[in-house]
Amino acid sequence: MKDLYLIAQIADRGVAIDGGLVDSVVDIDAIVAVPHAPVAVRGLAALRSRVVTVIDTRVALGLPPSAIVHRAVVAKIDGHHYAFLVDALQDVAPLDRRPLPGGHGGEDGWSRGGTAMVEHEGEPLLVLDIAALIPVAVADAA
Amino acid sequence: MDDLLQEFIAETRETLEALSGEIVLWEAAPADRARLDAIFRFVHTVKGSCGFLDLPRLGRLADAAEDTLAAVRDGRRVPDGALVTAVLAIVDRIGELTAALDAGQPLDDTPDDFLVAALAEDAAPPVSPLMQAADSMPGVPVRAAGRSVRLGVELLDRMMAGMSDMVLARNELARRLRDGEIDPRVEAALDRLSATVAEMRDTVTRTRMQRIEALFSPIPRMVRDVAAPLGKQVSLAIEGGDVELDREMIELLRDPFVHIIRNAVDHGIGAPEARRAAGKCETGRLSITARQSGNQILVEIEDDGAGVDTARLARKAVESGLLTEAEAERMSEEDRVSLIFAPGLSSRDTVTALSGRGVGMDVVRANIEQLGGRVRATNRPGQGLTLTMHVPLTLSIIPTIMVGAGAQRFALPRQAIEEIVSLKNSAVRIDHLGAGRVATVRGERLPLADLGTTLGVGGEPTVLAIVATRDGHYALAVDAVLDTEELVVKPAAPAVMASGLFAGQTLPDSGLPLLLLDPGGVAAAAGLRGVVPAAAEDDTAEEQGLTTLLFDDLDGRRRAVALAVVDRVEKVAASAIGDTGGRLHLSLADAVVPLIAQGPLPAHSVTLLRLTDGASEIAYAIAEAQEIVSLPRAIAPARRAGIAGVALVAGEQVELLDAHALFAGEVPMMDCRPLCYLRSDGSDWMDVFLRPVVEAAGYRCVGSEAEAHGASVTLAMDDDPVALADEATVLLSRQPATGGRGIYRYDRAALLAALATRTGKAA
């Protein structure tokens, strides 16, 4: 059983994102910063009449922030719309999801977001679980 | 024909909804002709339409009810409980039949005869006493039945989203057109488009809003229906029906709300005998209030029943294994009350037909929390229970004021803004007070927060917004006030909301997302004392302790004294106070009373507290009386004689005077030496060279601005850019007599003489 995956480029690596989660792929224009938000929250952006929370995917993966902000993958998670920044979008393809090979430890951020792998044109790609990239809200004292 | 039938059904339904409250109100005040007329009009209309649409069964019911009501109108019959119940039964049946027609289902064939028979004058007497509903709301106008259609909320959502897209497209178009040469005809067309779009937007936005009345209007009938079979009497007071809420929110609130009300009537309010035995009026009171408070809608449901027996509730929780014995022991009263929201626990042993079935309070709480709201119970044992639902303003339209801070703009709820003043205004002053700052606006002191600094976005404040929170006012410094706009605010993602600074997000006409600030959250983030976030609101309801007079003492500290000890507050001339017999005394017309001063006395007039224990009297000199406050019960012990303890008043530490010690004469001689602030230029010279000299001359010295409050004199170098040559400052120059502004710093005699003139102390 093959599912549709978006093949995207993040920090010079190809990743696959479950197409079922993705609402649309957009070009992000202006971003309004959110003071006192977790670092991975790049800010808010308007998408037609909707406000989306822009997640800097690189920061969420424990990498330095993205230098250029351009394309993003939009998904609705727990009732809120998020835009995940990607460097580039390469393809959409039906692929087979496979477990990660044994012994795959991965770097910190990547291991949090990566849940499985797919093979695309002979190249293994990490399946990125974008929902896991959303910073967990720190319980507010108030 | 089909269209006519549909219209009849829709109209009948609408009218029925509006009518259910009217009937009960009419029952409470049978002489109220307006309500009787409204009901009469309804059955009359139904009868007329039925004849035309060939619906004989509905027609017969309406006809019978009309006859009876006509008799009442003519004064031939008196509307008693039986009559009202019978009319209600008919109205209900009309509703059922209409619903069946609408759904295209066959009409159920229970005979209607008994309903009609019940209208007869000699019908069986009523089985339940009447409820005395809503005496308190005689002025409610009769609602006109409007024509309407039902729309799915989803459709409205789509309309709203489309509308916002349209606004953005219009903006984009306007921007593009402005780039080039613009034909006046095009401009006129664009203007017209803009006006239409704006108007449409208002209309579409408003379609989502509904007065909370929609939730309230069935209540009188419901309360009656619950109370009557139980033989209870309930008077109902409803307030705030005009508060507007998102339509969807109202739908979602309906079930929890109905349940809470049923519970209040069923479990809360007791039977008349029980109430009489408890010394209460036989008729129970149920009051429902809605109001908007900051970024929330508050709905309060208060009954004057027996309240919750928390001890029994805790016992039941232990029995059912929800809590251990020890846990129940340790629980605060407040936590015990919230056990009513625990699944599977009822404060009552028997389950009644009504409230016992369906959802429990645990489901109520879950439902409300799902909406992003919360519900809390306030118990007054033996006096009743208040349930407060806080519902967020989600999707509600709120008027906002846009402010700028740094390079960003934010929205503030307009309702929270008391006033906007320019920092250039001469009536505004900003002072440093310890680590924080205070703004003085026309004599009123307010804690100050700087929006740019608090949010870490920088900026140059030019304007102060006076912000009201539930816990007091504060001044918020912003760079600019840009605009006002009505916005549809939606909750932001949890990661954005977590900081507590924001109440939601929105998309204004600019097309750039905008965050709505939570004024309470901003105050908390800025570390303002005396202004705490909204969530702590109910702590004020806790038991209050001693009533005290709050005042600023001569040494600059905020202190309190039990009000009962204070005979009066008065101003006397400084000359009435003498340092005689080894201590300070105040001369009165016929006596001399001891005077206590905890700091240097002002030179001209002195404000005094005249304290008395009933027999003797003492005077206590203060700087300024502030206000009368109730101290919290929790008072931290003090280590200093004369101070009974330290309490927290509006987030500020306040020393409570020990009246006992004052009258026992145990207060040690206070430090009456004038306070001298040494404004150091950064070198140690003042501390090392000057301080011993000044202290030896009988002054108290402090070296930091934070401690300098209440200083009688300031010593500063004449090249200090901030120091002013005023009457409370002595300037020192580094060189002897070169025509500089100050006194040569090694000229001891001149220095001490200058200090003495400034403080009025003998040199």
Side-chain angles (χ1 to χ4, degrees):
Chain A
M1 171 73 198
K2 288 181 190 294
D3 293 314
L4 271 187
Y5 283 92
L6 258 75
I7 313 299
Q9 192 87 22
I10 296 170
D12 301 325
R13 273 172 231 212
V15 293
I17 298 167
D18 183 353
L21 288 172
V22 176
D23 213 48
S24 54
V25 175
V26 295
D27 287 341
I28 293 285
D29 207 7
I31 295 182
V32 174
V34 179
H36 292 256
V39 278
V41 174
R42 186 91 176 207
L44 302 177
L47 207 61
R48 301 209 300 147
S49 60
R50 202 182 282 147
V51 176
V52 296
T53 307
V54 182
I55 302 290
D56 191 331
T57 318
R58 285 186 186 226
V59 176
L61 290 171
L63 304 168
S66 309
I68 25 165
V69 175
H70 180 45
R71 305 228 94 177
V73 172
V74 176
K76 187 175 179 180
I77 295 161
D78 289 337
H80 295 281
H81 286 90
Y82 294 90
F84 297 88
L85 297 179
V86 295
D87 297 350
L89 208 70
Q90 291 170 330
D91 199 1
V92 178
L95 298 169
D96 262 332
R97 185 193 181 93
R98 291 187 212 148
L100 287 172
H104 179 87
E107 298 149 52
D108 259 4
W110 288 105
S111 67
R112 186 153 56 93
T115 50
M117 59 164 286
V118 289
E119 204 154 304
H120 177 57
E121 291 166 359
E123 192 190 345
L125 295 174
L126 193 68
V127 174
L128 199 59
D129 175 13
I130 46 177
L133 298 180
I134 297 169
V136 182
V138 185
D140 195 22
Chain B
M1 191 63 168
D2 238 21
D3 285 352
L4 285 175
L5 185 63
Q6 281 310 323
E7 199 166 295
F8 165 71
I9 289 167
E11 197 161 343
T12 305
R13 280 191 155 186
E14 283 299 323
T15 325
L16 270 177
E17 267 172 36
L19 210 60
S20 71
E22 302 286 340
I23 296 184
V24 180
L25 292 177
W26 170 53
E27 183 187 44
D32 190 340
R33 189 57 187 253
R35 309 211 191 284
L36 176 60
D37 285 349
I39 300 157
F40 181 82
R41 261 198 312 276
F42 167 70
V43 286
H44 180 77
T45 313
V46 171
K47 189 184 92 168
S49 312
C50 291
F52 179 66
L53 291 166
D54 195 21
L55 299 165
R57 191 167 162 197
L58 270 176
R60 210 166 34 120
L61 283 169
D63 186 41
E66 190 194 2
D67 278 350
T68 310
L69 291 172
V72 175
R73 263 157 60 111
D74 297 343
R76 282 180 285 127
R77 283 191 66 176
V78 179
D80 55 13
L83 186 140
V84 172
T85 310
V87 172
L88 280 187
I90 299 241
V91 170
D92 279 356
R93 177 54 68 94
I94 292 175
E96 283 164 33
L97 293 176
T98 314
L101 270 178
D102 191 19
Q105 286 161 350
L107 305 183
D108 82 314
D109 47 18
T110 352
D112 300 324
D113 298 347
F114 75 96
L115 291 175
V116 176
L119 284 172
E121 224 160 332
D122 51 358
V127 284
S128 58
L130 292 185
M131 107 166 212
Q132 301 167 353
D135 294 353
S136 50
M137 39 188 302
V140 179
V142 176
R143 250 181 307 262
R147 284 176 54 186
S148 56
V149 284
R150 287 184 166 267
L151 287 178
V153 169
E154 199 189 325
L155 189 64
L156 289 175
D157 271 342
R158 262 168 40 208
M159 224 154 87
M160 191 75 209
M163 198 59 232
S164 302
D165 283 349
M166 203 147 118
V167 171
L168 295 180
R170 192 267 330 235
N171 293 350
E172 174 87 36
L173 182 66
R175 262 199 305 276
R176 295 273 146 106
L177 283 175
R178 265 198 300 274
D179 286 346
E181 197 68 16
I182 187 166
D183 181 340
R185 280 172 304 176
V186 175
E187 196 169 9
L190 183 70
D191 282 350
R192 211 167 62 238
L193 176 71
S194 300
T196 319
V197 165
E199 197 176 308
M200 270 299 289
R201 185 179 199 228
D202 271 2
T203 317
V204 173
T205 311
R206 230 157 282 285
T207 57
R208 283 197 59 98
M209 302 302 288
Q210 203 172 21
R211 285 148 76 103
I212 201 165
E213 210 165 45
L215 196 61
F216 289 172
S217 64
I219 296 176
R221 171 79 195 265
M222 196 180 75
V223 169
R224 176 196 185 275
D225 287 352
V226 178
L230 299 168
K232 291 181 183 176
Q233 299 173 6
V234 180
S235 98
L236 183 68
I238 298 181
E239 241 180 89
D242 53 352
V243 170
E244 286 205 329
L245 250 184
D246 187 70
R247 211 176 271 268
E248 197 177 7
M249 206 57 134
I250 288 188
E251 286 311 314
L252 293 170
L253 274 179
R254 205 179 287 274
D255 282 350
F257 188 64
V258 163
H259 187 77
I260 290 176
I261 297 210
R262 278 193 172 149
N263 249 332
V265 178
D266 191 358
H267 300 301
I269 293 173
E273 312 82 62
R275 291 183 57 88
R276 214 173 28 242
K280 294 180 192 169
C281 165
E282 281 186 22
T283 306
R285 265 179 45 82
L286 183 65
S287 75
I288 296 162
T289 336
R291 68 194 152 95
Q292 189 177 340
S293 173
N295 51 15
Q296 291 183 317
I297 302 284
L298 258 75
V299 183
E300 217 168 69
I301 299 145
E302 184 177 351
D303 69 56
D304 69 342
V308 176
D309 184 345
T310 49
R312 195 171 61 177
L313 199 59
R315 213 162 50 237
K316 289 191 75 169
V318 172
E319 278 165 24
S320 66
L322 201 71
L323 292 173
T324 66
E325 199 81 49
E327 277 172 337
E329 272 301 304
R330 274 202 309 273
M331 259 181 149
S332 70
E333 184 63 18
E334 202 177 315
D335 289 340
R336 285 189 191 184
V337 176
S338 20
L339 280 176
I340 58 171
F341 298 115
L345 270 190
S346 165
S347 60
R348 224 175 127 106
D349 297 317
T350 52
V351 168
T352 60
L354 282 157
S355 323
R357 63 164 186 231
V359 296
M361 289 300 276
D362 55 325
V363 181
V364 167
R365 179 159 77 172
N367 282 352
I368 292 172
E369 283 177 356
Q370 213 165 33
L371 309 175
R374 60 205 162 89
V375 58
R376 219 196 11 266
T378 316
N379 191 28
R380 301 179 305 283
Q383 300 298 314
L385 181 73
T386 306
L387 284 169
T388 315
M389 295 196 263
H390 295 244
V391 195
L393 266 185
T394 312
L395 285 166
S396 303
I397 300 171
I398 53 169
T400 61
I401 290 182
M402 307 253 219
V403 296
Q408 276 186 257
R409 19 171 80 195
F410 298 92
L412 270 167
R414 227 197 118 117
Q415 200 189 358
I417 310 281
E418 294 272 299
E419 193 183 349
I420 288 170
V421 285
S422 164
L423 279 175
K424 288 197 199 96
N425 191 324
S426 59
V428 179
R429 221 181 69 212
I430 308 275
D431 297 292
H432 285 270
L433 186 66
R437 286 189 294 168
V438 288
T440 310
V441 180
R442 281 191 301 275
E444 197 190 351
R445 270 202 192 105
L446 299 161
L448 177 79
D450 182 331
L451 185 61
T453 314
T454 306
L455 298 179
V457 295
E460 301 234 336
T462 63
V463 183
L464 278 189
I466 312 299
V467 182
T469 69
R470 245 168 277 165
D471 306 285
H473 292 46
Y474 71 96
L476 184 66
V478 299
D479 293 9
V481 171
L482 301 161
D483 201 0
T484 63
E485 200 169 329
E486 297 213 330
L487 298 171
V488 177
V489 178
K490 299 187 181 186
V496 174
M497 298 292 263
S499 64
L501 285 166
F502 308 111
Q505 66 190 12
T506 181
L507 197 59
D509 284 350
S510 68
L512 274 181
L514 186 71
L515 285 158
L516 179 72
L517 294 166
D518 176 344
V522 172
L528 294 191
R529 298 178 302 165
V531 189
V532 287
E537 170 215 17
D538 305 281
D539 299 348
T540 52
E542 80 185 39
E543 266 194 292
Q544 295 291 342
L546 194 62
T547 304
T548 59
L549 176 75
L550 204 62
F551 62 90
D552 286 332
D553 211 331
L554 289 176
D555 57 358
R557 284 184 194 273
R558 185 59 68 88
R559 293 204 172 93
V561 60
L563 194 60
V565 183
V566 181
D567 192 32
R568 66 190 120 133
V569 182
E570 65 182 14
K571 253 195 169 90
V572 300
S575 57
I577 296 168
D579 189 351
T580 48
R583 68 168 303 167
L584 293 171
H585 280 102
L586 168 71
S587 348
L588 299 172
D590 50 359
V592 172
V593 298
L595 180 126
I596 296 165
Q598 307 237 37
L601 287 167
H604 303 294
S605 70
V606 183
T607 308
L608 293 177
L609 300 178
R610 299 269 296 271
L611 309 177
T612 176
D613 62 354
S616 58
E617 194 183 313
I618 53 177
Y620 190 104
I622 63 168
E624 200 180 0
Q626 291 295 340
E627 55 179 332
I628 292 169
V629 295
S630 281
L631 291 190
R633 287 225 177 264
I635 291 181
R639 288 206 146 161
R640 190 177 145 192
I643 302 297
V646 178
L648 210 57
V649 175
E652 198 175 346
Q653 291 182 12
V654 168
E655 291 180 339
L656 176 65
L657 289 183
D658 182 347
H660 188 270
L662 290 179
F663 280 88
E666 282 169 16
V667 182
M669 285 304 288
M670 295 301 170
D671 200 348
C672 294
R673 292 175 297 162
L675 185 62
C676 177
Y677 169 33
L678 303 181
R679 196 185 163 84
S680 170
D681 57 352
S683 74
D684 281 338
W685 185 83
M686 280 204 177
D687 246 346
V688 176
F689 289 78
L690 197 56
R691 191 173 192 135
V693 177
V694 176
E695 283 186 342
Y699 296 87
R700 208 149 48 91
C701 295
V702 292
S704 78
E705 196 173 357
E707 301 166 328
H709 189 78
S712 313
V713 63
T714 301
L715 276 172
M717 299 312 291
D718 63 354
D719 51 2
D720 186 330
V722 188
L724 295 169
D726 61 17
E727 53 196 354
T729 308
V730 175
L731 295 176
L732 303 176
S733 67
R734 294 178 200 280
Q735 303 303 324
T738 49
R741 293 195 291 156
I743 297 165
Y744 178 44
R745 59 177 175 170
Y746 287 117
D747 186 349
R748 183 187 293 219
L751 182 72
L752 293 182
L755 282 182
T757 12
R758 300 302 199 278
T759 57
K761 188 182 183 342

